């Protein structure tokens, strides 16, 4: 267990924003977490429950307490057609995906190479290439901050939707996640119809890909499109893709027939924010030390030494431009603190 005051959390946010927090606590087990919760006083507020810090923008030093799970461990409950994997919230997400692919447990492969930790996968409902964490989450175990009580939630309890869950809404700051149980299948049903996945597979001669081949292709696409935080600080997609009513979509697709889009249901369509931002001329541009990635305009980057306020200035200018040009509001996906 680690419990330190005035702690440098620069390496705990992939944006690479230099910042300190007033108290930093890292727990290795459920028991340690429950013990720590008994020591918290009103003076320790506000709390920030941090995973890998890969979806976080710090706008200054953090005046409260950062809680970080270092709960490790993976246990496997094998059944005939599926496997239940109970994983400590401090495990690295992509280690779990690799373990699944290596063992023939299917369903996570499209979520390869997403940065961050297991606890965050259940808060954020991480998603990529047509698959979301909610598709494999079976159970989420947590401790209630106010009471120290252990609780367990089903997938339905968490009310998952695109990049949303109760943990981001009405349960915000109420629970600390300790374990997530995923259900993987023993039969491989590749999901390759999203974007250019099939094309990329075929380019390599994979017409009936294995999960390992699919994982390799996805890692390749992500490495090509998304900046490496060790080279240029970033938090992946900075904005969520806006979901607009069909009438708005029809109006825009009349004006911009080339506009990419994904059907949500009969009433709504999702439009890639990256495309909207690129159309506003922002791709590859900088504002001071904050910038827009040159290969994916959805990703804001720290060009070196930027502070959170500079990134926020860029965020606001982009939102204004998208609003003025398209009449669409885009919202940050990252957690701004
Ligand atoms: N596009 C542009 N210009 C850009 C970026 C995108 O025209 O600068 C166009 C692309 O050509 C494509 C469409 O927009 O037609 C969608 O682009 P892409 O497939 O790259 O995905 P995205 O919608 O921009 C989402 C997720 C990513 C995830 C990818 C792949 C969100 C907020 N982002 O991005 O997730 O990897 O799909 O599934 O939903 C993340 O959350 O950090 C993240 C990287």
């Amino acid at each position: 267990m680690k419990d330190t005051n005035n702690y440098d959390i620069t390496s705990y946010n992939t944006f690479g924003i230099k910042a300190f927090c007033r108290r930093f606590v890292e727990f290795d087990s459920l028991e340690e977490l429950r013990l720590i919760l008994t020591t918290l006083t009103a003076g320790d507020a506000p709390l920030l429950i941090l995973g890998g810090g890969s979806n976080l923008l710090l706008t200054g030093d953090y005046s409260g307490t950062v809680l970080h799970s270092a709960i490790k461990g993976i246990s496997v409950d094998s059944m005939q057609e599926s496997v239940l994997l109970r994983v400590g919230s401090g495990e690295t997400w992509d280690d779990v995906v690799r373990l699944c692919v290596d063992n023939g447990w299917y369903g996570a492969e499209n979520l390869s190479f997403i940065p961050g930790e297991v606890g965050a996968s259940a808060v954020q409902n991480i998603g990529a290439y047509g698959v979301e964490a909610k598709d494999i989450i079976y159970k989420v175990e947590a401790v209630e901050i106010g009471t120290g009580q252990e609780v367990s939630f089903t997938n339905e309890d968490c009310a998952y939707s695109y990049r949303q869950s109760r943990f981001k809404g009405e349960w915000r700051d109420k629970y600390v996640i300790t374990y997530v149980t995923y259900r993987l299948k023993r039969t491989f049903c590749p999901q390759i119809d999203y974007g250019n996945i099939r094309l990329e597979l075929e380019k390599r001669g994979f017409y009936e890909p294995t999960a390992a081949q699919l994982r390799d292709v996805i890692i390749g696409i992500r490495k090509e499109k998304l900046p490496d935080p060790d080279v240029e600080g970033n938090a992946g997609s900075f904005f969520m893709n806006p979901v607009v009513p069909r009438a708005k979509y029809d109006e825009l697709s009349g004006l911009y027939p080339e506009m990419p889009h994904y059907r949500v249901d009969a009433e709504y369509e999702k439009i890639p924010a990256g495309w909207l931002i690129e159309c506003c001329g922002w791709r590859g541009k900088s504002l001071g030390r904050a910038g827009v990635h040159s290969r994916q305009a959805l990703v804001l980057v720290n060009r070196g030494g930027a502070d959170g306020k500079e990134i926020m200035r860029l965020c606001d200018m982009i939102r204004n431009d998208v609003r003025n040009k398209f009449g669409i509001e885009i919202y940050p996906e990252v957690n701004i603190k």
Side-chain angles (χ1 to χ4, degrees), residues 128-129 162-163 222 225 237 239 241 272 275 278 296-298:
Y129 310 106
Y162 171 59
R163 298 295 197 274
R222 290 190 77 93
K225 275 199 178 175
S237 302
F239 299 99
N241 287 332
W275 182 86
E278 177 171 349
Q296 167 52 292
L298 193 55

Side-chain angles (χ1 to χ4, degrees), residues 72-91:
K72 303 283 187 192
I74 301 180
S75 57
V76 183
D77 187 1
S78 215
M79 291 172 305
Q80 199 159 17
E81 288 180 359
S82 59
V83 164
L84 291 180
L85 219 61
R86 181 174 182 258
V87 188
S89 54
E91 290 281 359

Side-chain angles (χ1 to χ4, degrees), residues 191-234:
Q191 304 234 29
I192 55 175
D193 287 322
Y194 181 98
N196 57 348
I197 301 282
R198 187 186 290 276
L199 195 75
E200 289 296 322
L201 284 161
E202 289 179 358
K203 263 196 218 164
R204 298 194 193 188
F206 303 148
Y207 292 92
E208 283 184 29
T210 63
Q213 288 166 340
L214 181 49
R215 171 171 163 80
D216 279 354
V217 163
I218 284 171
I219 291 176
I221 296 174
R222 290 190 77 93
K223 279 189 172 163
E224 194 193 299
K225 275 199 178 175
L226 301 169
D228 177 353
D230 289 337
V231 178
E232 208 168 32
N234 73 88

Side-chain angles (χ1 to χ4, degrees), residues 54-55 110-112 114-115 124-132 162-163 194-197 218 221-222 225-226 234-242 258-262 270-279 283-284 292-299 331 333-334:
S54 56
N55 201 44
N110 287 38
L111 304 177
S112 288
I114 295 181
Q124 179 68 6
N125 186 23
I126 56 172
Y129 310 106
V131 175
E132 292 181 324
Y162 171 59
R163 298 295 197 274
Y194 181 98
N196 57 348
I197 301 282
I218 284 171
I221 296 174
R222 290 190 77 93
K225 275 199 178 175
L226 301 169
N234 73 88
S237 302
F238 192 90
F239 299 99
M240 287 189 274
N241 287 332
E258 75 289 5
M259 180 175 74
H261 57 97
Y262 302 100
K270 193 190 276 179
I271 301 174
W275 182 86
L276 298 169
I277 297 166
E278 177 171 349
C279 288
R283 184 153 71 86
V292 180
H293 187 51
S294 56
R295 290 193 298 275
Q296 167 52 292
L298 193 55
V299 179
Y331 296 95
E333 189 212 15
V334 295

